[in-house]
Amino acid sequence: MEDEAEKFIKRCDKCQRYVNNMHQPTELLYSIITPWSFMKWGMDIVGPLPQSPGKVRTTAKISTGETPFSLVYDTETLIPVEKGEPSTRFEHTNEALNEEKLRTNLVLTEERREETLIRMVSQKQRNERDYNRRVNLRQFKIGDFVLKKVFRSTQVANAGKLSPNWEGPYRFKGITGKGAYELETMDGKVLPSNWNVVRLKKYYF
C-alpha cells in the first residue's frame, strides 16, 4: 500500500512541477588550475568603488597568500602616507640601491609564484573535497524525461508567486560536458543552450 502511494505521488504532474527547488549539489566539483599565475586576465569596468573598511588598498588573497599587485609588479604597493613616513616597507634611498633591490626581487619572483601556485592548488583541493562530501549524484540516460528549473526569463508573464518552479517535460538528448546536458522538446526540437544537472530533475509519467 505504501509503495503504491509513493509511486502515485511520484507521478503526480502538479507535485513535480510545484515542488521546491533543490539546493543540494548534484554533480562533483571539478577544479580548474592555471599553469601559472595570471595565465588569463579578466577586467571588470566598474566604479567609482566605495572605500573599504579600514581604508585598505590591497588585501592578500586567501588562496595565494599574496596580493594581486605583488604578483604582477614583483613588489608591494605603498599608500601615500607610507611615502612620507619611515617604515619597514619604505625608506628613502638612492636610485642605484633601488635598482639593485628591484633586480633581487625579479630573481625571486619565479620562486614566489611557484609557492603561490602550490598554495592555490592546495586550497582548491580542500574546497573540492569539502564540496564533494555533500554531493548527491543525479545522472540521466538518453531518452529520460526531465523538468528544468523556471527562471524569471522563462517565467510566464504575471504568473506571480504561485507559478510552477519547474517546466517541461523535455527529453534528455545527450551529454555535452561534465554535468551539462542537451535537451529537446517532446516534438524533437533541440533547445538552443545546454543545461546543468543542478537545474534539472527527472520527470515521471
Side-chain angles (χ1 to χ4, degrees), residues 22 37 49 56 76 86 100-101 108 142 151 162 190 195:
M22 295 173 291
S37 301
L49 297 175
V56 179
E76 289 290 354
E100 182 182 348
K101 289 188 175 182
L108 300 175
I142 294 178
F151 295 92
L162 300 180
V190 179
W195 287 81

Side-chain angles (χ1 to χ4, degrees), residues 72-154:
V72 175
Y73 298 105
D74 309 317
T75 186
E76 289 290 354
T77 184
L78 295 174
I79 62 176
V81 69
E82 290 181 296
K83 295 177 65 176
E85 296 294 332
S87 69
T88 56
R89 297 181 56 201
F90 178 82
E91 61 181 15
H92 295 284
T93 183
N94 56 52
E95 185 175 351
L97 184 58
N98 185 65
E99 289 290 336
E100 182 182 348
K101 289 188 175 182
L102 286 177
R103 290 194 190 95
T104 303
N105 287 340
L106 287 174
V107 172
L108 300 175
T109 297
E110 194 64 32
E111 180 181 349
R112 186 177 181 182
R113 288 179 176 171
E114 287 180 0
E115 292 176 353
T116 298
L117 179 61
I118 292 172
R119 287 195 295 268
M120 186 171 62
V121 171
S122 177
Q123 193 219 22
K124 285 182 178 291
Q125 289 176 343
R126 289 196 303 271
N127 292 343
E128 184 176 327
R129 184 172 58 252
D130 294 339
Y131 181 93
N132 290 342
R133 285 178 185 154
R134 300 181 286 111
V135 169
N136 180 20
L137 287 175
R138 186 166 68 248
Q139 298 176 334
F140 303 109
K141 298 179 294 185
I142 294 178
D144 283 350
F145 293 94
V146 297
L147 298 177
K148 65 183 182 70
K149 184 179 178 182
V150 174
F151 295 92
R152 288 186 178 181
S153 58
T154 60

Side-chain angles (χ1 to χ4, degrees), residues 20-38:
N20 293 331
N21 295 321
M22 295 173 291
H23 301 288
Q24 185 177 14
T26 56
E27 181 65 29
L28 297 175
L29 180 66
Y30 301 98
S31 299
I32 300 176
I33 306 297
T34 57
W36 61 87
S37 301
F38 299 101

Side-chain angles (χ1 to χ4, degrees), residues 28-66:
L28 297 175
L29 180 66
Y30 301 98
S31 299
I32 300 176
I33 306 297
T34 57
W36 61 87
S37 301
F38 299 101
M39 182 190 75
K40 291 184 178 180
W41 287 74
M43 180 178 293
D44 288 331
I45 302 176
V46 295
L49 297 175
Q51 197 168 47
S52 63
K55 300 182 180 181
V56 179
R57 296 303 183 90
T58 56
T59 304
K61 302 298 181 182
I62 297 175
S63 58
T64 62
E66 302 283 350

